[in-house]
Amino acid sequence: MLIHVRPTDGADLAAINAVIEAAVMGWDLPERVKRLSLPSYRYDSVDLAHLAAVVAEAERRVVGVATWEPADPRDVPAGRAALLLHGLYVDPAWQRQGVGRRLLAAVREVASRDGQAGVLVKAQADARGFFEGNGFVALDPEDPDRHYAHRYWLDLG
């Protein structure tokens, strides 16, 4: 299976949101919670204008997406410069086939190229295995009023 990762453009928006919807609906959460939270996970053209993004294609269709932006130094260990992985979604039919790892590799490459100290992600609880399996370590919420409960850090230093 050939997986191609490329920068996204506005023409991918509907496909990106279809991947996000399929991924969110596969989370281990009550159906109502998924349905009510789904609109906050979808992207619009303004989001894509402010976030960097890549998509993974297989069989001539978008099967995954990763988006990122500069992280707020207050959220990063020791206040270092880092990327915040805003979202990494893979269509459930394509999970466990290397799509997420390929998307993450693209983000790591950008972070390294740009001299970032690492990559920070605020993830769903059930994504723990994926991120820890890819070298991320869980961060304790130092400031419970500010920090997301499921934060993971990948040190590139």
Side-chain angles (χ1 to χ4, degrees):
M1 148 190 54
L2 181 63
I3 300 167
H4 174 66
V5 175
R6 63 168 175 79
T8 186
D9 59 39
D12 294 317
L13 187 57
I16 288 169
N17 283 326
V19 167
I20 292 169
E21 181 171 349
V24 169
M25 295 312 286
W27 290 351
D28 186 22
L29 293 170
E31 292 301 310
R32 183 171 190 275
V33 171
K34 292 186 282 191
R35 186 174 39 80
L36 291 174
S37 64
L38 185 58
S40 67
Y41 289 101
R42 288 187 182 115
Y43 294 120
D44 61 25
S45 59
V46 175
D47 292 323
L48 292 184
H50 290 92
L51 297 170
V54 292
V55 293
E57 290 181 317
E59 299 178 359
R60 296 167 49 175
R61 69 181 187 98
V62 173
V63 298
V65 61
T67 61
W68 64 92
E69 62 189 329
D72 185 326
R74 296 177 297 168
D75 293 334
V76 177
R80 302 181 327 189
L83 294 182
L84 171 64
L85 181 59
H86 189 273
L88 191 150
Y89 303 94
V90 176
D91 184 310
W94 288 90
Q95 291 176 358
R96 300 190 183 338
Q97 296 183 52
V99 175
R101 282 190 304 277
R102 294 282 307 276
L103 290 166
L104 188 55
V107 175
R108 288 176 70 153
E109 182 179 315
V110 169
S112 293
R113 180 194 69 211
D114 292 350
Q116 303 292 334
V119 178
L120 177 70
V121 63
K122 301 172 186 178
Q124 287 295 111
D126 52 348
R128 177 182 182 170
F130 172 79
F131 287 109
E132 289 182 350
N134 282 282
F136 284 75
V137 295
L139 297 175
D140 290 327
E142 298 163 2
D143 180 354
D145 292 331
R146 176 169 175 73
H147 291 151
Y148 191 79
H150 306 287
R151 294 181 317 137
Y152 299 91
W153 172 252
L154 178 65
D155 196 305
L156 298 176

